[in-house]
Amino acid sequence: MEELPKAYTPHEVEDRLYKDWEDKGYFRGSPDPSKKPYSIVIPPPNITGILHMGHALNNTIQDILIRFKRMQGFQTEWMPGTDHAGIATQNVVERKLAKDKVKRQDLGREKFVEEVWKWREEYGSTIIRQLKKLGCSCDWERARFTMDEGLSEAVLEVFTRLYEKGLIYRGNYIINWCPRCQTALSDEESEHRDVEGMLYHIKYPVKGSDKDDFVVVATTRPETMLGDVAIAVNPKDERYKDLKGKTVILPILDRELKIIFDSMVDLEFGTGALKVTPAHDPVDFCLGQRYGLEQINIMNGDATINSAGGEYEGMDRFEAREAILEDLKARGLFIKSEPHRHAVGHCYRCHTMVEPRLSPQWFVKMKPLAEPAIAAVKSQEIKFYPQRWTKVYLDWMENIRDWCISRQIWWGHRIPVYYCKKCQSNEDQKPGVRGQGSENGEGIIVSKTRPEKCPKCGGTDIEQDPDVLDTWFSSWLWPFSTFGWPKDTPELKYFYPTDSLVTAQEIIFFWVARMIMAGLEFRKAIPFKSVYIHGTVRDITGTKMSKSLGNVIDPLDMIEKYGTDALRFSIISITSQGQDVFLAEGKFELGRNFANKLWNASRFILMNMKPEDCRGDLCVLFKAVNLSLPDRWILSRFYSTLGLVTKCLDEFKFNEAVNAIYEFLWHEFCDWYIEISKPHLKETTTQLILYKVLEKSLRMLHPVMPFVTEEIWQKLPRDKDSMAGSIMISRWPHIQKDMISIKVEQEMGKVIDVITAIRNIRSAWDIVPGAQINILVNTHDISDSKLLGDNSEMIKRLARIADMKVGKMSKPKGAAASVIGTLEVYVPLEGLIDLEKERLRLKKEEDRVSGAIKSMEARLGDNNFTSKAPKDVVEKQRVQLIELTLQLEKLRANLKTI
């Protein structure tokens, strides 16, 4: 039997084992009618991505699930892949070209896209290599990419079907526009954050009145006044009742503006008078449509002012703002500005402030798709974990807006729309001219392949729409497109619907909701049954990790320093269901120490093991032999823990599962049972129980710590339960309910508590470690007396006791005491310590602690301190006062004892 090395060295183990798993095809999942399927699709990381702690948490959870289900006998499939990440990837490649002073426009569309593909071939698999380093047991042979041939076919099929169904349309609407990326963004891609802005009060003169007759408008974006076409007020606003039938003059441009009365206007905001700019504000756009107002777009795609802005043409939007304010002041039309905190959209990729902008775009009508997706969650056909995310999902779905799916970039799925120039009825419907457009415009051809001629007029002057589809338009098809849809493949029939989706809260709307809608629309079945939403990884102070703050912990650095298993175990152990994770590097010592503890215990067992004694049947032994209390206890505790772990994993309570394993293996098995078993190591019964509990515990721990468990398991002698080629394809342990006994666990618990109490007394009174002591245990129940009597030899050995008396008795004078439920443990101190010397020491310590308490009470009673000091400092002082008070009570009790 091969011996384990003295120390566990993760770097000598992990790459070797992972390669062996891959080479032997253990990750592969193929349809097998004899087995029940269990499948997960990975949230595809961007090809621009590198592994961060969020990935580490997300993919560790998925790997735990897939390894757990694989061991339970399911035919598992963890579908991996990457996302083309349109805007993000284009930005990365543009920055790369910029180093050589080259712009994408210099290359042209075709050459630029070639450059992106080259970049993807060189760098796009970085994240995959890192996921392998994390131990992810994905079916890498099936890895997909959102722009590979099969997924591109699915995208074209979906667009065509939705268009033919009337659910995709082209319209001229206010959209979120990123001036940096120069593309439209969906509402979900425009992240709102509070900014400290200004509210500017501007005079709009009433036409035909004297110079003192004007309407004051308050706005946060004075540069957009260049596109004003009206002033709106609420009909209930008494301040403006005299304006009916009048017009005002737009400052600087001197354009005449009508005054409209509409209940949409908020009486409380600003002055109650609203400047209406239909091309640059969603509310104004609605008012413009309602009253047939002109739409004047004043900005270019880079947020500079266009020719509609007169003398401000060419200025950046913020530069124009300052120039306009100066001109207003010069004309006496500026009243004041005041601080105003408000939420402003920012691009989710480059964080540039988004500009609401009128633009012809392609949209998906979402309400018809949302209805069955709402029903699927309300009926609990799909369940969210934690359950609170159900309400978040439903609130969003019940108020869903149409999805803007066109993007003005070059990298991505090109929109399968073609324009026949001959058929186009007006100039603003021509490709490249971003004009009014229409839902059913003339000359629009939707086709999965480029048409040779127009089906209506036979013309051949055809151009494809220059836009690409939103990245999420391919991602929302991920659960079925990855299995071959629109082809009806064996894998699609077998593995779809998938079982669990593990993801972060940020993409519930981007991705989760849309996948549910797509699955129900195109497969007539939900895409997954469970959605587990994990929290955000933050630093130890609760701040979100970011490079700019310098608080990022690199998972690859932690793997290098502590090992993969240590990272996985540590991050899961501190992650409560759905809660944010507060992480510091020191947390990974927990996992490393646990791996070392397991290794050392396994090494000890293997060094003392006879292979022939490990092949017995545990069930036969349990029924045939009168096992000792510790033997029956460790078997009961193992199977109780196994039951709890299995239940927790099924319920997505990963940290509870991990902490139960830790408690059992570290404390109950290693600290207690192995120590108890040492005098009996040569006995067949002890050998068999040590082996069986270790082997089954390794299987129970494997989904969380795959490498160290595999390395130890491979060194164990083989029995009928361990004949598989790898621990990862061995069976999940079967629960032996007849070996679980609450009575046995309670009895052994009492014995352990007595030993622990004696050890604590030794420590508290600084009794020489090697000293053999006498103890007395006062019992009130015959069964307790028998229990302690039957196990007295074990108690004496583990607590280093010379003599132990058990029964009804009073506390001797000068004895230390500990109360354990109905038991009292007494340790006579005479002869063990110098009582007078100890009394003087305790008295001196009592005086010191009393003085510290008085000082702290005075400080906390001082209003100047409690009202002015930081709250955390005051709270810390209060906690210290409680601790000192408890310490004083203990000192006085010890003084009383001697």
Side-chain angles (χ1 to χ4, degrees), residues 188 391-400 509 513 517:
E188 293 73 38
K391 184 179 186 303
V392 175
Y393 166 89
L394 291 174
D395 286 348
W396 184 76
M397 290 290 279
E398 286 164 355
N399 295 281
I400 199 165
F509 311 133
M517 289 185 272

Side-chain angles (χ1 to χ4, degrees), residues 213-281:
D213 194 7
F214 49 79
V215 176
V216 178
V217 170
T219 178
T220 58
R221 298 158 65 214
E223 66 278 10
T224 61
M225 67 187 297
L226 300 172
D228 287 358
V229 294
I231 296 293
V233 295
N234 195 300
K236 295 179 181 178
D237 198 330
E238 291 294 321
R239 292 172 292 180
Y240 302 112
K241 63 182 179 180
D242 294 335
L243 290 178
K244 285 187 178 177
K246 295 182 181 181
T247 58
V248 296
I249 302 299
L250 175 64
I252 300 175
L253 295 185
D254 295 331
R255 185 161 62 238
E256 190 172 345
L257 310 180
K258 66 169 66 175
I259 296 174
I260 58 178
F261 292 81
D262 195 284
S263 57
M264 185 185 289
V265 180
D266 184 356
L267 284 81
E268 304 300 323
F269 180 77
T271 64
L274 177 74
K275 58 188 276 312
V276 182
T277 319
H280 291 280
D281 184 273

Side-chain angles (χ1 to χ4, degrees), residues 353-591:
M353 193 177 288
V354 164
E355 191 65 41
R357 185 169 183 251
L358 185 68
S359 176
Q361 302 288 340
W362 288 94
F363 297 85
V364 177
K365 291 180 182 176
M366 299 304 284
K367 283 198 178 293
L369 298 174
E371 288 170 7
I374 290 169
V377 172
K378 281 186 173 180
S379 67
Q380 296 199 318
E381 193 179 359
I382 297 173
K383 292 183 179 180
F384 279 83
Y385 297 85
Q387 200 271 335
R388 68 176 183 274
W389 291 110
T390 302
K391 184 179 186 303
V392 175
Y393 166 89
L394 291 174
D395 286 348
W396 184 76
M397 290 290 279
E398 286 164 355
N399 295 281
I400 199 165
R401 296 169 64 183
D402 287 356
W403 174 17
C404 176
I405 57 171
S406 45
R407 299 290 180 271
Q408 289 66 54
I409 58 175
W410 289 351
W411 172 244
H413 295 279
R414 189 89 173 260
I415 290 180
V417 171
Y418 301 84
Y419 301 94
C420 171
K421 288 189 175 181
K422 187 176 178 182
C423 286
Q424 285 184 318
S425 58
N426 54 55
E427 283 297 309
D428 65 8
Q429 285 184 316
K430 290 181 181 177
V433 179
R434 316 303 296 179
Q436 176 67 27
S438 69
E439 190 166 327
N440 296 298
E442 288 293 326
I444 292 179
I445 308 160
V446 174
S447 173
K448 288 188 279 187
T449 57
R450 184 182 183 88
E452 292 182 6
K453 60 183 180 180
C454 175
K456 185 174 181 181
C457 72
T460 56
D461 192 2
I462 293 171
E463 281 189 16
Q464 188 172 0
D465 192 299
D467 293 350
V468 301
L469 289 162
D470 178 10
T471 294
W472 299 100
F473 196 88
S474 50
S475 302
W476 76 324
L477 315 177
W478 190 251
F480 51 90
S481 63
T482 50
F483 288 111
W485 189 90
K487 294 175 184 172
D488 199 19
T489 64
E491 289 80 8
L492 182 63
K493 290 177 182 176
Y494 185 73
F495 288 117
Y496 187 91
T498 67
D499 289 88
S500 303
L501 179 76
V502 179
T503 191
Q505 63 195 55
E506 305 94 75
I507 55 176
I508 292 176
F509 311 133
F510 279 122
W511 194 47
V512 179
R514 289 172 181 163
M515 282 191 291
I516 295 172
M517 289 185 272
L520 290 165
E521 173 68 17
F522 301 107
R523 288 296 299 166
K524 306 305 176 190
I526 56 171
F528 30 73
K529 297 154 195 160
S530 304
V531 181
Y532 177 73
I533 306 292
H534 60 73
T536 301
V537 181
R538 302 180 181 276
D539 70 14
I540 200 66
T541 68
T543 306
K544 191 171 181 179
M545 289 187 178
S546 79
K547 289 181 182 177
S548 61
L549 293 175
N551 63 348
V552 169
I553 300 174
D554 187 334
L556 296 173
D557 290 345
M558 297 303 100
I559 288 172
E560 182 65 28
K561 189 170 182 178
Y562 299 100
T564 299
D565 286 333
L567 180 141
R568 290 168 60 118
F569 182 91
S570 301
I571 200 167
I572 294 299
S573 70
I574 60 173
T575 304
S576 298
Q577 189 183 72
Q579 300 299 311
D580 286 350
V581 186
F582 297 89
L583 196 60
E585 183 178 330
K587 300 278 188 181
F588 297 106
E589 293 176 5
L590 174 73

Side-chain angles (χ1 to χ4, degrees), residues 37 75 91 885 897:
Q75 184 69 347
N91 285 346
T885 304
T897 296

Side-chain angles (χ1 to χ4, degrees), residues 92-104 106-107 115:
V92 167
V93 177
E94 285 194 74
R95 285 197 294 270
K96 177 177 177 285
L97 293 172
K99 291 177 182 177
D100 298 324
K101 298 182 178 177
V102 175
K103 294 181 179 179
R104 65 182 167 104
D106 299 332
L107 295 177
E115 286 296 315

